[in-house]
Amino acid sequence: MLTPDTKPDLSDRLFSDLDFSTGAVAAVSGGSDSTALLLLLKDHLDRTASAARLLAVTVDHGLRPDSAAEARLVARFCAERGIAHRIVAWGGDKPASGLAAAAREARYNLLAAAADAEGIELILTGHTADDQAETVLMRQARDDDGRGLAGMAPATLHDWRTWIVRPLLGTRRAALREMLRRRDIGWIEDPTNIDVRFERPRVRAALAQGEGEQRIAEALARAGQAAAEREDVGHRAALLIDAIAGRPVPGLVRLDRDFAAHEDGQAAIYALRILLATVGGVSFLADEARCAALFSRLRSAPLCATLSRTVIDARRTGIFLRRESRDLPAAAPPVDNRLWDNRRRVTLNGRITLNDGPGDLVIAPLGPAAARCASLSEDIPPGLSRAALAAEPSLWAGGKCLDFAGGNAGPQSVSIVPAVAPFQRFLPSFDLEPATAVAALVGAPPLPAPPFRGHDVGRGWAKA
């Protein structure tokens, strides 16, 4: 019997809003979810966009003896259906702890590299409603602060350049398997999916018993509510950042004194968490409880404090945020597409050849001495401006500063542009508005166009 999730128009409902103008990469492990994703996607493209490129990519993590053979089975499956396929392997030593997180990071990096090599800007994964419920329950068990209870985002921007979309988040795994059985198509069962040494299989096993269906429904409802709340506070935080934050000199953010008395404390604290992480180059938002305490202190008196590698200097003329001077990166040659101090992305516009001599080109902090020679804003206390500038990256050769914060170095060009640290690697669609506001504030590149046709390029975009 067909359920709503297995009607013939399912693929159109899942993919009709997506922009396939650059093609699509489908992440396919050979399991039921990713196999169903691939077939539904191919059906849709065959009917609606036959010229669109489709590349299936299988990541061989090398964590099980059978993984390479399973990847070859997926390759054969794709070849039989005329689907381009590539196997990418996670090489090198594997970590002794945090293996699941490291494998997830490696998987997305490999998928993004495969997409980039083909000029494809869209990756699709087979995460289902069951995966979403498991994720929410795991985060709830870890006393999540509420943001994480939104679960996996329908769309996530990876590395500020490639969109990862999860079109099956509203579809149950059982419905996908029913569709595969009707087509007489099998799938690979990964034994780690039932290995209760890992957290997710333990949660999955618990949901298969007793009141599991009710718990799944409750978790999905909780995710929807948390996502709406997260987007709402993000919207308010973005408006607040637009209204009260400025960047008088590179590396220095100034908040109006009125910020400390803002009536929307929830949005103000959220904005502060994002700004502290961005200025300090920290991948995770500043701790909520510590930010709430800091926000309360800002209301009553001038102060100087440090949180998330960021110095908070509250004065009569404003609240100033800058990177603290400790633990800045040592001088090192520029490397293409690397993050410097997690605050700047380095791009080489052409090949730079370095020699083994004192004239080698390196990136290093500007430092106090050079900062004293920089032009300053007349509206900002000189000590504040110089302290912020001293922590900013510069190009050096033979002990001489060639250019501050990137630019031309002789015949070669090195670009050093700001990055939004907490969202640089993974930007969930829940957080697009505050990420856009902070990117504009610090001078980071604008977000690439969302992966949906007819998207709203302004703040109102909410397709994801």
Side-chain angles (χ1 to χ4, degrees), residues 160 247 278 343-345 417-421 424 435-447:
W160 212 258
R247 183 177 60 121
T278 301
R343 295 185 292 133
R344 301 289 186 273
R345 183 168 293 281
V417 299
V420 183
Q424 186 64 35
T436 300
V438 176
L441 172 67
V442 301
L447 297 174

Side-chain angles (χ1 to χ4, degrees), residues 196-210:
V196 293
R197 292 177 300 174
F198 300 102
E199 182 183 21
R200 187 175 292 273
R202 290 198 300 271
V203 172
R204 188 169 296 172
L207 290 175
Q209 304 172 6

Side-chain angles (χ1 to χ4, degrees), residues 168-221:
L168 303 182
L169 280 184
T171 305
R172 295 295 303 275
R173 177 173 293 118
L176 297 173
R177 291 187 170 187
E178 180 185 352
M179 181 269 292
L180 292 175
R181 291 189 187 99
R182 288 201 316 272
R183 296 192 183 192
D184 195 25
I185 293 173
W187 57 86
I188 298 168
E189 293 285 4
D190 184 345
T192 60
N193 287 335
I194 56 173
D195 188 341
V196 293
R197 292 177 300 174
F198 300 102
E199 182 183 21
R200 187 175 292 273
R202 290 198 300 271
V203 172
R204 188 169 296 172
L207 290 175
Q209 304 172 6
E211 299 178 347
E213 286 299 312
Q214 179 179 340
R215 292 185 65 198
I216 289 174
E218 291 172 350
L220 294 176

